Structure formats: C-alpha cells, structure tokens
Amino acid sequence: MYRQVFIPNDTSLLLQIPAYFIGKKVEVIAFPVEENQIVEEQSNGDKYSWENALKFFRKNSVDFSKIKKWKREDLYE
C-alpha cells in the first residue's frame, strides 16, 4: 500500500506511482482528511497493520467453547 497525505495547491494533480505498481490494478481515491484524523493515525502508528487487526479480532471475537452443545434430537423436544 502506498499512501501520501498532502495539501494541493492547484486543481490538477500529477501522480507518480512506485515502480512495483506497474502492470497491476491501482485504485486512486481522493477525499478531504481532517487534521485531527491525521494526527490520531500518526500517534497510533500504522492504523492498518496486521497487529492492530489481530488485536481487534481478539477483543471482539466470540468464545464458542462456552456454548452448550446440542444434538439434532434436542430440536424435537
């Protein structure tokens, strides 16, 4: 992933991409970013790292070991 945040000085933009993007599908998205959002992401490190994703899923995962096991016959009682 390649990400760069900047303040444009004109309505046109010349985009230079890394060489390893050549021959691959590339998506370009432009949207305004609030200043406090940039500071928050920089202070938290890489927001989209696999470590942060793993922390999120461990925090929000469901523990299926505590769910009572059942049999199909139990449905008809």
Short mmCIF file of all heavy atoms in Angstrom, two decimals, residues 32-60:
data_model
loop_
_atom_site.label_atom_id
_atom_site.label_comp_id
_atom_site.label_asym_id
_atom_site.label_seq_id
_atom_site.Cartn_x
_atom_site.Cartn_y
_atom_site.Cartn_z
N PRO A 32 -11.14 14.73 1.27
CA PRO A 32 -10.53 15.60 2.27
C PRO A 32 -10.37 14.86 3.60
O PRO A 32 -11.20 14.05 3.98
CB PRO A 32 -11.52 16.76 2.41
CG PRO A 32 -12.81 16.21 1.95
CD PRO A 32 -12.49 15.15 0.92
N VAL A 33 -9.26 15.10 4.28
CA VAL A 33 -8.97 14.46 5.55
C VAL A 33 -8.87 15.55 6.61
O VAL A 33 -8.20 16.56 6.41
CB VAL A 33 -7.63 13.69 5.46
CG1 VAL A 33 -7.32 13.04 6.80
CG2 VAL A 33 -7.67 12.66 4.36
N GLU A 34 -9.52 15.31 7.73
CA GLU A 34 -9.46 16.26 8.83
C GLU A 34 -8.08 16.20 9.48
O GLU A 34 -7.47 15.14 9.58
CB GLU A 34 -10.54 15.94 9.86
CG GLU A 34 -11.95 16.04 9.33
CD GLU A 34 -12.31 17.45 8.88
OE1 GLU A 34 -11.86 18.42 9.51
OE2 GLU A 34 -13.04 17.57 7.89
N GLU A 35 -7.59 17.30 9.93
CA GLU A 35 -6.25 17.39 10.53
C GLU A 35 -6.13 16.50 11.76
O GLU A 35 -5.14 15.82 11.96
CB GLU A 35 -5.92 18.84 10.88
CG GLU A 35 -4.50 19.05 11.32
CD GLU A 35 -3.49 18.80 10.20
OE1 GLU A 35 -3.80 19.07 9.03
OE2 GLU A 35 -2.40 18.29 10.51
N ASN A 36 -7.16 16.46 12.60
CA ASN A 36 -7.09 15.64 13.81
C ASN A 36 -7.05 14.16 13.48
O ASN A 36 -6.50 13.36 14.22
CB ASN A 36 -8.25 15.96 14.76
CG ASN A 36 -9.59 15.76 14.12
OD1 ASN A 36 -9.69 15.50 12.93
ND2 ASN A 36 -10.64 15.90 14.90
N GLN A 37 -7.63 13.74 12.35
CA GLN A 37 -7.58 12.34 11.94
C GLN A 37 -6.16 11.95 11.56
O GLN A 37 -5.70 10.87 11.90
CB GLN A 37 -8.52 12.11 10.75
CG GLN A 37 -8.55 10.68 10.27
CD GLN A 37 -9.47 10.50 9.08
OE1 GLN A 37 -10.10 11.44 8.61
NE2 GLN A 37 -9.55 9.29 8.59
N ILE A 38 -5.43 12.84 10.91
CA ILE A 38 -4.05 12.57 10.52
C ILE A 38 -3.18 12.44 11.75
O ILE A 38 -2.38 11.51 11.88
CB ILE A 38 -3.51 13.69 9.59
CG1 ILE A 38 -4.29 13.71 8.29
CG2 ILE A 38 -2.04 13.50 9.32
CD1 ILE A 38 -4.00 14.93 7.43
N VAL A 39 -3.34 13.33 12.70
CA VAL A 39 -2.55 13.30 13.93
C VAL A 39 -2.85 12.02 14.71
O VAL A 39 -1.95 11.38 15.23
CB VAL A 39 -2.84 14.55 14.80
CG1 VAL A 39 -2.20 14.43 16.16
CG2 VAL A 39 -2.37 15.79 14.08
N GLU A 40 -4.12 11.62 14.78
CA GLU A 40 -4.51 10.41 15.51
C GLU A 40 -3.88 9.17 14.88
O GLU A 40 -3.37 8.30 15.57
CB GLU A 40 -6.03 10.28 15.50
CG GLU A 40 -6.55 9.04 16.19
CD GLU A 40 -8.06 8.95 16.10
OE1 GLU A 40 -8.73 9.97 16.30
OE2 GLU A 40 -8.56 7.85 15.82
N GLU A 41 -3.89 9.07 13.55
CA GLU A 41 -3.31 7.92 12.87
C GLU A 41 -1.80 7.87 13.07
O GLU A 41 -1.23 6.80 13.26
CB GLU A 41 -3.64 7.94 11.39
CG GLU A 41 -5.08 7.60 11.10
CD GLU A 41 -5.40 7.64 9.62
OE1 GLU A 41 -4.46 7.76 8.81
OE2 GLU A 41 -6.58 7.56 9.27
N GLN A 42 -1.15 9.02 13.05
CA GLN A 42 0.30 9.04 13.23
C GLN A 42 0.67 8.67 14.66
O GLN A 42 1.67 8.02 14.89
CB GLN A 42 0.86 10.42 12.87
CG GLN A 42 0.82 10.70 11.39
CD GLN A 42 1.24 12.13 11.07
OE1 GLN A 42 1.33 12.97 11.94
NE2 GLN A 42 1.45 12.39 9.80
N SER A 43 -0.15 9.08 15.63
CA SER A 43 0.16 8.77 17.02
C SER A 43 -0.10 7.30 17.33
O SER A 43 0.55 6.73 18.20
CB SER A 43 -0.66 9.65 17.96
OG SER A 43 -2.03 9.36 17.83
N ASN A 44 -1.03 6.67 16.63
CA ASN A 44 -1.34 5.26 16.86
C ASN A 44 -0.46 4.33 16.04
O ASN A 44 -0.62 3.13 16.09
CB ASN A 44 -2.80 4.96 16.52
CG ASN A 44 -3.75 5.60 17.50
OD1 ASN A 44 -3.36 5.93 18.60
ND2 ASN A 44 -4.98 5.79 17.09
N GLY A 45 0.44 4.86 15.28
CA GLY A 45 1.23 4.03 14.39
C GLY A 45 0.43 3.72 13.14
O GLY A 45 -0.48 4.44 12.78
N ASP A 46 0.75 2.65 12.49
CA ASP A 46 0.05 2.25 11.27
C ASP A 46 -1.31 1.68 11.65
O ASP A 46 -1.41 0.59 12.21
CB ASP A 46 0.86 1.23 10.49
CG ASP A 46 0.26 0.90 9.14
OD1 ASP A 46 -0.72 1.57 8.75
OD2 ASP A 46 0.76 -0.02 8.49
N LYS A 47 -2.37 2.40 11.36
CA LYS A 47 -3.72 2.01 11.73
C LYS A 47 -4.12 0.69 11.07
O LYS A 47 -4.89 -0.07 11.63
CB LYS A 47 -4.67 3.12 11.30
CG LYS A 47 -6.12 2.88 11.62
CD LYS A 47 -6.95 4.06 11.18
CE LYS A 47 -8.42 3.83 11.37
NZ LYS A 47 -9.21 4.94 10.90
N TYR A 48 -3.58 0.40 9.91
CA TYR A 48 -3.99 -0.77 9.15
C TYR A 48 -2.97 -1.91 9.23
O TYR A 48 -2.90 -2.72 8.34
CB TYR A 48 -4.23 -0.38 7.70
CG TYR A 48 -5.29 0.68 7.57
CD1 TYR A 48 -4.95 2.00 7.27
CD2 TYR A 48 -6.62 0.39 7.77
CE1 TYR A 48 -5.92 2.97 7.18
CE2 TYR A 48 -7.60 1.35 7.69
CZ TYR A 48 -7.24 2.65 7.39
OH TYR A 48 -8.20 3.61 7.30
N SER A 49 -2.23 -2.00 10.30
CA SER A 49 -1.24 -3.07 10.43
C SER A 49 -1.93 -4.36 10.83
O SER A 49 -3.02 -4.36 11.41
CB SER A 49 -0.17 -2.69 11.44
OG SER A 49 -0.72 -2.68 12.74
N TRP A 50 -1.27 -5.49 10.59
CA TRP A 50 -1.86 -6.79 10.95
C TRP A 50 -1.91 -6.96 12.46
O TRP A 50 -2.79 -7.64 12.98
CB TRP A 50 -1.13 -7.93 10.26
CG TRP A 50 0.28 -8.13 10.72
CD1 TRP A 50 1.40 -7.56 10.21
CD2 TRP A 50 0.72 -8.95 11.81
NE1 TRP A 50 2.51 -7.97 10.91
CE2 TRP A 50 2.11 -8.83 11.89
CE3 TRP A 50 0.06 -9.77 12.71
CZ2 TRP A 50 2.86 -9.50 12.85
CZ3 TRP A 50 0.82 -10.44 13.66
CH2 TRP A 50 2.20 -10.30 13.71
N GLU A 51 -0.99 -6.30 13.17
CA GLU A 51 -1.03 -6.39 14.63
C GLU A 51 -2.30 -5.75 15.18
O GLU A 51 -2.96 -6.29 16.07
CB GLU A 51 0.19 -5.71 15.27
CG GLU A 51 1.49 -6.42 15.02
CD GLU A 51 2.26 -5.81 13.87
OE1 GLU A 51 1.69 -4.98 13.13
OE2 GLU A 51 3.43 -6.18 13.70
N ASN A 52 -2.66 -4.58 14.63
CA ASN A 52 -3.88 -3.91 15.08
C ASN A 52 -5.12 -4.71 14.69
O ASN A 52 -6.09 -4.76 15.45
CB ASN A 52 -3.95 -2.51 14.50
CG ASN A 52 -2.97 -1.57 15.14
OD1 ASN A 52 -2.43 -1.86 16.20
ND2 ASN A 52 -2.70 -0.45 14.51
N ALA A 53 -5.10 -5.34 13.53
CA ALA A 53 -6.23 -6.17 13.11
C ALA A 53 -6.38 -7.37 14.05
O ALA A 53 -7.49 -7.71 14.46
CB ALA A 53 -6.05 -6.64 11.68
N LEU A 54 -5.27 -8.00 14.41
CA LEU A 54 -5.30 -9.14 15.32
C LEU A 54 -5.82 -8.73 16.70
O LEU A 54 -6.64 -9.44 17.30
CB LEU A 54 -3.90 -9.74 15.43
CG LEU A 54 -3.81 -11.11 16.05
CD1 LEU A 54 -4.65 -12.13 15.30
CD2 LEU A 54 -2.36 -11.56 16.08
N LYS A 55 -5.38 -7.58 17.21
CA LYS A 55 -5.88 -7.07 18.49
C LYS A 55 -7.38 -6.86 18.43
O LYS A 55 -8.11 -7.21 19.36
CB LYS A 55 -5.19 -5.75 18.85
CG LYS A 55 -3.78 -5.89 19.30
CD LYS A 55 -3.21 -4.52 19.61
CE LYS A 55 -1.71 -4.55 19.74
NZ LYS A 55 -1.14 -3.21 19.89
N PHE A 56 -7.87 -6.28 17.33
CA PHE A 56 -9.30 -6.01 17.18
C PHE A 56 -10.10 -7.31 17.19
O PHE A 56 -11.10 -7.43 17.90
CB PHE A 56 -9.56 -5.26 15.87
CG PHE A 56 -11.01 -5.11 15.55
CD1 PHE A 56 -11.76 -4.10 16.13
CD2 PHE A 56 -11.65 -5.98 14.67
CE1 PHE A 56 -13.10 -3.97 15.86
CE2 PHE A 56 -12.98 -5.84 14.38
CZ PHE A 56 -13.71 -4.84 14.98
N PHE A 57 -9.66 -8.31 16.42
CA PHE A 57 -10.42 -9.55 16.33
C PHE A 57 -10.36 -10.36 17.63
O PHE A 57 -11.33 -11.00 18.00
CB PHE A 57 -9.95 -10.39 15.14
CG PHE A 57 -10.41 -9.82 13.84
CD1 PHE A 57 -9.50 -9.34 12.92
CD2 PHE A 57 -11.75 -9.75 13.53
CE1 PHE A 57 -9.93 -8.80 11.72
CE2 PHE A 57 -12.19 -9.22 12.34
CZ PHE A 57 -11.27 -8.74 11.43
N ARG A 58 -9.24 -10.30 18.33
CA ARG A 58 -9.18 -10.98 19.62
C ARG A 58 -10.09 -10.30 20.64
O ARG A 58 -10.74 -10.97 21.45
CB ARG A 58 -7.75 -11.01 20.14
CG ARG A 58 -6.92 -12.03 19.44
CD ARG A 58 -5.56 -12.19 20.05
NE ARG A 58 -4.82 -13.25 19.38
CZ ARG A 58 -3.52 -13.30 19.30
NH1 ARG A 58 -2.79 -12.35 19.87
NH2 ARG A 58 -2.93 -14.28 18.68
N LYS A 59 -10.16 -8.99 20.60
CA LYS A 59 -11.01 -8.24 21.53
C LYS A 59 -12.49 -8.48 21.25
O LYS A 59 -13.30 -8.58 22.15
CB LYS A 59 -10.69 -6.75 21.42
CG LYS A 59 -11.54 -5.86 22.28
CD LYS A 59 -11.19 -4.41 22.06
CE LYS A 59 -12.17 -3.51 22.76
NZ LYS A 59 -12.01 -2.11 22.38
N ASN A 60 -12.86 -8.62 19.97
CA ASN A 60 -14.27 -8.71 19.59
C ASN A 60 -14.70 -10.11 19.16
O ASN A 60 -15.81 -10.27 18.65
CB ASN A 60 -14.55 -7.73 18.44
CG ASN A 60 -14.31 -6.31 18.87
OD1 ASN A 60 -14.91 -5.84 19.81
ND2 ASN A 60 -13.42 -5.62 18.19
#
